Amino acid sequence: FFLIASPNMSTFVCLLLLALCAHVALGDLSSPLYAIVTDFGANNTETTVYTVQIGTDGKKKDIVENFRYVGSSISFDGISTFDQKDKVLYYAPDFESGFVFAVDVTKGALLPTVSVDATIIQNLQWDSQKDAVLAEAVYANAEEVVQFMLLVSFSTSGNSPAQIAVNFTSQFELKTVYQSAVANGIYYIIYPDASEAVRIGSFPLADPKTLKSSPLSCGSKLFVTFMAWDDTSKALIGVGEANVNNTLQYSVVTIDPSNGQCSAKVLPVNGIVTCTTFNPKTRSLFFGVAPNGPAEVYEYSFASGKTTSVKTEWIPEELQVSYSV
């Protein structure tokens, strides 16, 4: 189908920026990845969005054409999740739309598109306990002022009925969440409080009555662009972004959810990080980079502390990794 969208030039602005340049080992990645990539068209022409597999050597294999739309640019920065059991990649555009798209990466088939009837989808998470997608849905008025925010649960397989899991606004007085993660029935969020101070919070999905939270110690120094649970360290890990002397700098971040204390290690990234995913089995972070040159995919290993990169044909706008569960 065709989707009419306003041009989004943020990706191209980012490509003009300079980022930290440092040594990274060249070599194969430890796992193949699934990615969303876009073949950009000129103004008033078709732009095509694909799901592809990126091999450990960086080479691309097409899986399925997702959709086409009229316009010159689009972005899917970090709004995706992955069903590890059924191998389904879910993703949402970061413009005003309530659509959540789904691809069975094993069969190379599109699944039914879900409309959450929201102004925009802010984050997506996979709830493995209920086999359902958790979508952070934001609702704004005509003046683009956020009225309320919900956590909506649904399944394209029909195994889990669609329902409102949490009303962030009425229950926790929140209208935005910066980043989130889910593990062992606990939903973790990074969010701004009433004074705009950044906090890390959590609540049980089974009984989300109370939000436990602490100030995020690194919240004023960097913006967390990705977060996941690491069962080995019993901590949240992710990627943080900071502006250092007008240059974007990225770090691997480790957060203790019990007290908000976090540590950061600068990543040797030469470009703009567009998306991130985490393999908890190998404890590796993978992130797509729009560099000052050919597109790249990086891997950071928590086990070795080393960073590896491969050149790839397209800039990944979403990344997911498959592993056994």
Side-chain angles (χ1 to χ4, degrees):
F1 59 90
F2 292 91
L3 183 63
I4 308 299
S6 299
N8 181 337
M9 300 304 294
S10 61
T11 301
F12 301 103
V13 172
C14 285
L15 288 173
L16 297 176
L17 300 174
L18 295 176
L20 182 68
C21 196
H23 174 72
V24 178
L26 297 177
D28 288 351
L29 304 174
S30 65
S31 304
L33 303 165
Y34 296 105
I36 301 296
V37 299
T38 300
D39 184 5
F40 295 104
N43 284 326
N44 301 318
T45 62
E46 289 182 7
T47 293
T48 309
V49 180
Y50 299 92
T51 299
V52 304
Q53 184 180 65
I54 296 177
T56 56
D57 57 359
K59 293 183 179 179
K60 175 179 71 71
K61 176 184 177 182
D62 291 340
I63 295 179
V64 69
E65 177 185 314
N66 300 321
F67 62 85
R68 303 180 188 186
Y69 70 98
V70 177
S72 62
S73 65
I74 200 168
S75 177
F76 294 89
D77 297 332
I79 309 175
S80 69
T81 192
F82 195 77
D83 174 0
Q84 295 292 343
K85 186 176 69 174
D86 292 332
K87 307 304 178 186
V88 177
L89 192 159
Y90 296 89
Y91 61 99
D94 66 353
F95 56 81
E96 291 189 359
S97 165
F99 289 122
V100 178
F101 305 93
V103 175
D104 184 323
V105 298
T106 302
K107 298 178 180 178
L110 296 173
L111 298 179
T113 298
V114 175
S115 175
V116 183
D117 191 29
T119 305
I120 191 170
I121 302 298
Q122 191 167 261
N123 285 305
L124 291 175
Q125 300 293 339
W126 178 254
D127 183 357
S128 60
Q129 292 188 346
K130 291 191 174 182
D131 288 336
V133 176
L134 295 171
E136 295 173 15
V138 175
Y139 298 79
N141 61 19
E143 288 73 35
E144 298 186 351
V145 176
V146 175
Q147 302 299 297
F148 59 94
M149 178 179 172
L150 304 177
L151 186 64
V152 181
S153 173
F154 65 87
S155 171
T156 56
S157 66
N159 294 332
S160 179
Q163 60 181 321
I164 297 173
V166 176
N167 187 320
F168 284 102
T169 306
S170 66
Q171 292 176 240
F172 306 136
E173 298 184 351
L174 296 179
K175 291 185 178 180
T176 188
V177 169
Y178 291 152
Q179 199 51 255
S180 57
V182 62
N184 305 315
I186 305 297
Y187 204 85
Y188 300 93
I189 57 174
I190 294 176
Y191 67 95
D193 64 15
S195 64
E196 297 299 318
V198 182
R199 302 182 69 86
I200 178 78
S202 65
F203 56 84
L205 286 168
D207 189 23
K209 293 180 180 178
T210 304
L211 176 65
K212 297 180 180 179
S213 72
S214 303
L216 186 63
S217 66
C218 56
S220 62
K221 300 175 183 178
L222 50 79
F223 184 81
V224 177
T225 61
F226 172 83
M227 187 167 68
W229 176 258
D230 177 28
D231 204 49
T232 300
S233 63
K234 305 300 180 185
L236 293 161
I237 55 88
V239 172
E241 177 184 286
N243 188 320
V244 180
N245 298 323
N246 295 321
T247 297
L248 286 180
Q249 178 177 288
Y250 296 92
S251 301
V252 171
V253 179
T254 302
I255 303 170
D256 184 341
S258 67
N259 56 23
Q261 293 299 306
C262 60
S263 60
K265 176 183 177 181
V266 175
L267 287 166
V269 176
N270 180 25
I272 310 301
V273 173
T274 58
C275 50
T276 311
T277 191
F278 179 60
N279 187 337
K281 300 294 185 180
T282 61
R283 303 190 71 224
S284 290
L285 272 174
F286 300 89
F287 41 101
V289 176
N292 307 309
E296 294 178 274
V297 174
Y298 286 65
E299 176 180 356
Y300 174 80
S301 170
F302 279 91
S304 66
K306 295 180 179 180
T307 305
T308 304
S309 76
V310 295
K311 306 293 184 183
T312 189
E313 184 179 351
W314 297 78
I315 297 172
E317 293 157 4
E318 291 299 321
L319 275 181
Q320 292 293 338
V321 60
S322 175
Y323 51 86
S324 59
V325 293

